[in-house]
């Protein structure tokens, strides 16, 4: 008898999907305040194609990111909706090119403070 393996869910068996947890919650986000302030974002692999966000510094306080809810990519920026230990926020990453050296750097901005309201799922 093999343990695990490709294409096999160890908890439910091959080809079966696990039923959603009845205690799980969806979140609805309501914008509390629109801001446009620079923040310093810490990522785990800076040179990776899609690095994982760890947290961000807003002034002198650190916000640890618990979950990246959604990521939206546009032509000029990448938007991340995150849930942290101190609330929910929208972050924006803009690529800026230096006109003299033509080097591209990322500038992070805090776009909005959000209120995350949990909504219970019905079975």
């Amino acid at each position: 008898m093999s343990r695990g393996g490709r294409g096999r869910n160890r908890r439910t068996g091959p080809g079966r999907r696990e039923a959603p947890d009845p205690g799980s919650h969806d979140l609805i986000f309501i914008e509390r305040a629109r801001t446009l302030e620079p923040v310093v974002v810490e990522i785990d692999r800076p040179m990776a194609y899609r690095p994982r966000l760890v947290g961000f510094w807003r002034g002198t306080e650190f916000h640890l990111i618990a979950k990246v809810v959604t990521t939206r990519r546009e032509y000029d920026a990448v938007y991340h909706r995150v849930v942290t230990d101190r609330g929910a926020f929208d972050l924006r990453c803009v690529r800026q090119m230096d006109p003299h050296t033509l080097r591209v750097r990322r500038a992070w901005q805090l776009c909005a403070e959000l209120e995350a309201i949990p909504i219970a799922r019905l079975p």
Side-chain angles (χ1 to χ4, degrees):
M1 181 178 261
S2 67
R3 299 179 87 180
R6 286 190 173 169
R8 181 178 174 142
N9 188 344
R10 290 180 11 196
R11 284 187 246 152
T12 58
R16 295 187 196 147
R17 300 187 75 194
E18 188 174 322
D21 181 24
S24 67
H25 298 295
D26 289 332
L27 294 173
I28 291 181
F29 296 98
I30 298 173
E31 186 174 314
R32 281 192 307 182
R34 180 171 291 260
T35 62
L36 191 61
E37 63 181 88
V39 293
V40 177
V41 175
E42 294 191 8
I43 52 179
D44 65 345
R45 299 166 296 158
M47 300 306 291
Y49 179 66
R50 291 191 178 149
R52 189 174 70 86
L53 304 177
V54 176
F56 65 92
W57 290 92
R58 185 179 185 192
T60 58
E61 54 187 36
F62 183 73
H63 297 267
L64 181 65
I65 294 176
K67 182 178 182 181
V68 177
V69 178
T70 184
T71 301
R72 186 178 81 232
R73 300 181 197 295
E74 292 185 3
Y75 175 74
D76 60 342
V78 179
Y79 295 88
H80 301 277
R81 180 161 287 175
V82 296
V83 176
T84 68
D85 56 347
R86 299 178 187 223
F89 301 94
D90 277 341
L91 298 173
R92 176 170 67 179
C93 178
V94 181
R95 294 178 51 168
Q96 298 174 340
M97 183 181 293
D98 187 318
H100 301 293
T101 62
L102 300 179
R103 284 190 171 177
V104 176
R105 69 177 187 90
R106 293 180 179 170
W108 290 89
Q109 299 170 342
L110 181 68
C111 296
E113 294 180 22
L114 306 170
E115 184 72 33
I117 302 170
I119 304 295
R121 283 189 186 172
L122 297 176

